[in-house]
Amino acid sequence: MSIRSRYHHGDLRSALLERAEATLRKVGVDGLSLRQLARDIGVSHAAPSRHFRDKQALLDELAASGFERLGQRFAEAATAEGPVTERLYGMARAYLRFAMDNPELLALMFTRKQRSTSPDLSASVQHAFAVPVALIASGQEAGEIVAGDPKRIGITCIAALQGVATLVGSDFTDYDADQLLRDMVRHLTDGLRPRP
Amino acid sequence: MSIRSRYHHGDLRSALLERAEATLRKVGVDGLSLRQLARDIGVSHAAPSRHFRDKQALLDELAASGFERLGQRFAEAATAEGPVTERLYGMARAYLRFAMDNPELLALMFTRKQRSTSPDLSASVQHAFAVPVALIASGQEAGEIVAGDPKRIGITCIAALQGVATLVGSDFTDYDADQLLRDMVRHLTDGLRPRP
DNA sequence: ACCTGAACACCGTTCAAGT
DNA sequence: ACCTGAACACCGTTCAAGT
């Protein structure tokens, strides 16, 4: 960061992403403007276009990085000690923690506008989702989970968690997140139909 | 609509809401601008402010009307013939149909930004959610559903459906909506833990 | 290669003034 | 009561020109 190199920022791309995520957290997507981002970083308002084709491209990268981090948290929970169902519950808690720590980012991750999903984003999603699917497959081997395509069961679980995250974030209910999550896990595990 | 009354629109408020929903469906929230709406209707760009404090107020009303219609569809499904579990499945299908018919509206309905929810919207939500809760309560009486606070079980079901709708709308998965929904209903009904 | 400055076509919101 | 027109302070995107 010599005085000479202040004209060329050096790593404007990373700086934009970093600042964008901070702004997203503080003021939400609607409050995020490329011009303000550029101002914050101290660069002209036209500079970002060198690194992101348009605003949506920057948002797509934020979403992709979100899925990468979510995938990491999944992986940590999946490789913990204990029976599969315990680890699945750990993953569920990791999901909800991520959702509550990054509510605006999560909304961005699952809002696909009417644009085609970028290959980058798609790869991050597949990578993240693969973790619970694998865990479910090993749960089936251990006889802890019913038979069936682990991919389909995994997607069902992710959908359930995403729903909990959405409801928690919408404050349409007074139940706290932990209780909602426990209810969901319990009912999805044991079923709503009474067991004999 | 006499020539004399063209200056005063007459029912600008309704016209704005109607046009806004059509635009929402066509180009999404991001493509929705008050100025364009005013232009479409043939009124000055400042006119909408008489009827909606700001853009968010109009979006809130759209969301509220969404919940009202969703509640109606719920009520229809709830009062159908057959056992409770059948009617719950009918409600689930109604939810997903609504989600697929109004993807942008649904996103709007569940995206609460970081603003306080308007009382109007909150009332619509409570009204809509009350339907599945009541159905679950009668399912418990019939012995078709496990014991527990019907409100909490109902919220769990809605979360599950909302999650399915989100995943279907995000096109992160290739599974079609019906299959995803059937999987969710089956697993939530019977549980992921093997039954003896 | 990377950034600037000006330009273009938009926004939401406000407010005196008109009917 | 309801709407207009002008004004203000913003946007995203593009593009010749600078270093």
Side-chain angles (χ1 to χ4, degrees):
Chain A
M1 256 250 209
S2 71
I3 292 173
R4 264 192 79 258
S5 68
R6 280 184 52 124
Y7 174 74
H8 285 67
H9 180 279
D11 201 359
L12 181 55
R13 188 188 169 78
S14 306
L16 282 167
L17 284 170
E18 207 171 316
R19 187 85 202 186
E21 183 156 358
T23 306
L24 181 70
R25 177 167 281 112
K26 247 178 286 178
V27 297
V29 225
D30 293 346
L32 192 76
S33 98
L34 289 180
R35 287 179 102 112
Q36 183 62 52
L37 242 44
R39 244 176 273 135
D40 290 344
I41 294 174
V43 92
S44 94
H45 65 260
S49 73
R50 284 289 133 185
H51 302 278
F52 300 98
R53 194 161 40 75
D54 54 19
K55 190 180 179 179
Q56 190 59 46
L58 186 146
L59 295 180
D60 280 354
E61 279 231 9
L62 281 184
S65 91
F67 275 111
E68 274 157 33
R69 275 176 288 161
L70 181 60
Q72 284 166 17
R73 306 237 194 140
F74 273 171
E76 285 164 27
T79 55
E81 283 296 311
V84 172
T85 46
E86 271 303 313
R87 282 183 278 164
L88 275 171
Y89 184 43
M91 256 180 39
R93 271 178 291 137
Y95 193 104
L96 209 64
R97 228 179 299 128
F98 182 88
M100 299 188 73
D101 289 345
N102 314 274
E104 295 282 348
L105 180 59
L106 191 76
L108 202 64
M109 286 160 62
F110 280 99
T111 309
R112 286 276 54 70
K113 320 271 166 207
Q114 42 238 49
R115 294 176 73 259
S116 57
T117 306
S118 82
D120 245 36
L121 178 53
S122 188
S124 305
V125 174
Q126 299 315 318
H127 194 261
F129 285 5
V131 182
V133 170
L135 194 53
I136 279 162
S138 57
Q140 290 173 321
E141 282 171 34
E144 295 182 45
I145 291 178
V146 293
D149 182 358
K151 248 176 148 178
R152 277 169 62 182
I153 297 178
I155 291 290
T156 302
C157 291
I158 288 164
L161 293 176
Q162 174 57 22
V164 171
T166 300
L167 275 191
V168 167
S170 71
D171 58 81
F172 285 150
T173 171
D174 295 334
Y175 302 120
D176 68 84
D178 279 336
Q179 187 171 44
L180 226 55
L181 181 65
R182 274 199 303 271
D183 283 0
M184 179 61 89
V185 170
R186 188 159 67 83
H187 293 136
L188 201 50
T189 304
D190 292 338
L192 289 175
R193 188 159 61 82
R195 292 192 177 236
Chain B
M1 257 253 211
S2 73
I3 293 172
R4 265 193 81 256
S5 71
R6 280 186 51 122
Y7 173 74
H8 285 65
H9 180 278
D11 201 0
L12 182 54
R13 188 188 168 78
S14 306
L16 282 167
L17 284 170
E18 207 171 315
R19 187 85 203 187
E21 183 155 356
T23 306
L24 182 69
R25 176 166 281 110
K26 244 177 286 175
V27 296
V29 226
D30 292 347
L32 193 75
S33 99
L34 289 180
R35 287 179 103 111
Q36 183 62 52
L37 242 44
R39 243 176 272 135
D40 291 344
I41 292 173
V43 92
S44 93
H45 66 259
S49 73
R50 286 289 133 185
H51 302 277
F52 299 98
R53 195 161 39 75
D54 54 18
K55 190 179 180 180
Q56 189 60 46
L58 186 146
L59 295 180
D60 280 355
E61 280 232 7
L62 281 184
S65 91
F67 276 110
E68 273 156 34
R69 276 176 286 162
L70 181 60
Q72 284 166 17
R73 306 236 194 141
F74 273 171
E76 286 164 27
T79 56
E81 284 295 312
V84 173
T85 47
E86 271 302 315
R87 284 183 277 163
L88 274 171
Y89 183 44
M91 258 182 34
R93 272 179 290 135
Y95 194 103
L96 209 63
R97 227 179 299 127
F98 182 89
M100 298 188 74
D101 289 345
N102 313 275
E104 294 281 348
L105 181 59
L106 192 78
L108 202 64
M109 287 160 62
F110 281 99
T111 309
R112 285 275 53 71
K113 322 270 164 207
Q114 43 239 49
R115 293 178 71 261
S116 57
T117 306
S118 84
D120 247 36
L121 177 54
S122 188
S124 306
V125 174
Q126 299 315 316
H127 193 262
F129 286 5
V131 183
V133 171
L135 195 52
I136 278 162
S138 58
Q140 290 175 320
E141 282 171 33
E144 295 181 44
I145 290 178
V146 293
D149 181 0
K151 247 175 148 179
R152 276 169 62 183
I153 296 178
I155 291 290
T156 302
C157 291
I158 288 164
L161 293 176
Q162 173 57 22
V164 171
T166 300
L167 275 191
V168 167
S170 71
D171 58 82
F172 285 150
T173 170
D174 295 333
Y175 302 122
D176 69 84
D178 279 336
Q179 186 171 44
L180 225 54
L181 182 65
R182 274 200 303 273
D183 282 2
M184 179 61 89
V185 170
R186 188 158 67 83
H187 292 136
L188 200 50
T189 303
D190 292 339
L192 289 175
R193 188 159 60 81
R195 291 193 178 236

